[in-house]
Amino acid sequence: MLISQIKDAGGALRVVVRNGTEAYTVRDAASVYEIAQSCIASGTKMIDRINALGFGEAVDLERAYEEGRVLLPITHPDLTHMHLTGTGLTHLGSASTRSAMHEKDKAAAEEEVLTDSMKMFRMGLEAGRPKPGEVGVQPEWFYKGNGHAAVAPGAPLVSPAFAEDGGEEPEIAGIYVNGPDGTPYRLGFALANEFSDHVTERQNYLFLAHSKLRPCSFGPEMLLGDPPADIAGTSRILRDGKAYWEKPFLSGEKNMSHTIANLEHHHFKYGIFRSPGDVHVHMFGTATLSFADKISVAPGDVFEMEAGPFGLPLRNPLAVAAPEPASGGAYAVATL
């Protein structure tokens, strides 16, 4: 079952589900977050709860998407309690992609940049898939921001004026809601564009944290339950409505050096991420980047990624913010 959120003609939020091509609203559902909380309280599975609520009118999801009425498949009422995070070097092809990204730095920084990346990748190959009940090696981990950095499908991904680049990363994200005792509950999985500044990262691997503090998008639909072990999708950049760059991407545990459970463990082992009621969108990495193919993007280009089990493609145009502050100088901090 796929679940999403849209605005109706009057601007009210509606929860929408579909199996196959037909989509319907869910009766008496205030939001996906509200459904998740009621499921946690009652010990009910999401699909069972949705079936119990029943279905209302049919919805043309593609039309809603075209009209800009599709929202993120989940949000938190307080966006500061929604966390956007991710892991890298988790896929079997990610080491070669990272190597290509840093190609120009080989002469000056091979030992400092590439060797550390390859070392972490090999650690994942050797110990990222532990037996059930055991703990494997921890992955590369990064923070993207809170819910204020989450952009709805179809809305622009705005690169800050100071950025060196803004490029796509096609990923699968796990979606979680914490229960009242802090236990994380996995709702499902969605396509995600882990939008990043790869030029900044390439300057020095220690700038990775800076390069990840960018907006991202996920959805439009969330697949409830477990994802396929072998996920094949396509990532493309559209320019003037035509594919400027296109490449397949692979995900799912069959194509990863870590298990999903191991990545989840190393995120939620930190107590700060088990605060009651919080929402987590955790992106699991990729091995496919247009930047690694030396592709340059421009404002107005559209990032599009799709993979059959996850429903409608995720599309977001690229935009660049105006310089801030207006003076063009250093950012001024006020003193109280």
Side-chain angles (χ1 to χ4, degrees):
M1 179 181 283
L2 292 162
I3 190 167
S4 57
Q5 298 186 134
I6 68 169
K7 290 185 291 186
D8 65 16
L13 188 151
R14 294 286 182 265
V15 177
V16 178
V17 296
R18 70 183 180 106
N19 280 312
T21 59
E22 301 301 318
Y24 300 91
T25 60
V26 180
R27 290 196 182 113
D28 300 320
S31 67
V32 170
Y33 181 77
E34 184 271 337
I35 294 175
Q37 289 287 15
S38 67
C39 287
I40 293 170
S42 62
T44 307
K45 295 292 186 182
M46 287 280 288
I47 292 176
D48 294 338
R49 175 62 177 156
I50 289 165
N51 286 330
L53 288 170
F55 309 106
E57 66 271 19
V59 174
D60 186 336
L61 266 182
E62 295 203 21
R63 180 178 177 183
Y65 205 176
E66 293 172 358
E67 295 174 348
R69 294 190 289 111
V70 171
L71 308 172
L72 293 165
I74 189 171
T75 57
H76 192 286
D78 179 350
L79 294 178
T80 62
H81 286 276
M82 181 174 176
H83 306 280
L84 311 174
T85 56
T87 58
L89 294 169
T90 54
H91 284 62
L92 298 179
S94 54
S96 59
T97 300
R98 183 71 62 86
S99 176
M101 281 179 57
H102 293 280
E103 190 173 79
K104 292 183 180 179
D105 293 353
K106 284 183 180 179
E110 184 171 8
E111 288 300 316
E112 190 173 42
V113 179
L114 291 181
T115 301
D116 285 348
S117 295
M118 186 59 72
K119 184 185 298 184
M120 182 163 285
F121 176 70
R122 288 176 177 170
M123 289 167 65
L125 286 177
E126 294 168 2
R129 304 180 68 86
K131 296 178 181 178
E134 296 182 359
V135 176
V137 68
Q138 61 187 2
E140 176 187 68
W141 183 95
F142 56 83
Y143 175 73
K144 287 198 67 67
N146 59 28
H148 291 285
V151 174
L157 287 165
V158 181
S159 185
F162 59 76
E164 301 288 342
D165 172 60
E168 89 297 336
E169 295 203 15
E171 307 194 14
I172 304 300
I175 315 296
Y176 309 84
V177 174
N178 293 345
D181 63 352
T183 300
Y185 290 84
R186 185 200 305 135
L187 277 60
F189 297 83
L191 290 169
N193 186 345
E194 197 272 287
F195 184 68
S196 301
D197 184 341
H198 301 110
V199 172
T200 292
E201 179 190 347
R202 187 178 61 179
Q203 292 174 9
N204 188 310
Y205 186 68
L206 296 178
F207 284 164
L208 176 72
H210 287 280
S211 75
K212 297 298 186 182
L213 288 173
R214 301 291 186 271
C216 68
S217 187
F218 62 97
E221 300 177 89
M222 175 170 55
L223 177 68
L224 298 180
D226 296 325
D230 188 7
I231 298 167
T234 302
S235 178
R236 61 180 63 91
I237 297 170
L238 304 176
R239 181 169 292 176
D240 298 324
K242 298 179 180 179
Y244 174 66
W245 173 88
E246 181 173 307
K247 200 166 188 176
F249 71 89
L250 297 174
S251 192
E253 287 194 352
K254 181 179 177 180
N255 303 295
M256 297 172 66
S257 52
H258 288 258
T259 62
I260 298 296
N262 191 52
L263 300 179
E264 291 173 335
H265 165 79
H266 286 295
H267 178 71
F268 288 109
K269 69 183 181 184
Y270 295 103
I272 194 172
F273 294 142
R274 299 195 305 273
S275 294
D278 282 6
V279 171
H280 289 260
V281 180
H282 194 54
M283 289 155 269
F284 296 122
T286 188
T288 303
L289 306 174
S290 64
F291 184 79
D293 290 341
K294 299 180 172 58
I295 297 297
S296 296
V297 292
D301 288 352
V302 176
F303 301 114
E304 180 180 82
M305 46 201 64
E306 60 182 339
F310 298 92
L312 296 176
L314 176 60
R315 301 187 192 98
N316 298 92
L318 171 66
V320 177
E324 184 184 2
S327 65
Y331 193 87
V333 176
T335 300
L336 293 177

